Amino acid sequence: MDVKSSLAAQGYAATRPATAPKPQPDGSGGPDFAGVARDFAQTIQQGEQTAMATMAGDADPHALVQALAQTELAVETAVTVRNKVVEAYQEILRMPV
């Protein structure tokens, strides 16, 4: 049994770097939640500004369609993430103590 466990440990050690997150150039582990929230808010705000500019006649309809598509994608992504978080929370609540 000792031989099999050492082989398993070696295999795990060999595959661990492949599954580790890639370091960011600024030294952080990845995007932080505050940055993601800022990007989401900025996307929504840009969509609103483009819509107001289109209604005022300052932007073309093509820019409005692009802004609305980006806004829709951002909202759908946020809703999907929220649903996954709620689902994970409910799964934790179902765990026996």
Side-chain angles (χ1 to χ4, degrees):
M1 275 225 180
D2 189 34
V3 174
K4 290 182 182 180
S5 63
S6 65
L7 289 176
Q10 287 174 352
Y12 175 74
T15 58
R16 188 169 184 197
T19 59
K22 293 183 174 51
Q24 298 294 321
D26 60 356
S28 67
D32 59 340
F33 183 74
V36 172
R38 276 193 300 274
D39 290 345
F40 174 75
Q42 185 179 14
T43 301
I44 299 296
Q45 186 178 21
Q46 287 174 350
E48 290 175 352
Q49 289 173 351
T50 304
M52 286 190 261
T54 303
M55 287 188 276
D58 296 335
D60 62 339
H62 184 68
L64 176 64
V65 170
Q66 284 182 330
L68 290 176
Q70 288 176 345
T71 303
E72 181 182 12
L73 182 62
V75 170
E76 286 177 359
T77 302
V79 168
T80 301
V81 169
R82 181 203 58 131
N83 289 344
K84 290 291 184 179
V85 168
V86 169
E87 183 180 317
Y89 178 73
Q90 289 173 344
E91 187 67 27
I92 289 171
L93 288 179
R94 279 181 263 175
M95 288 183 180
V97 179

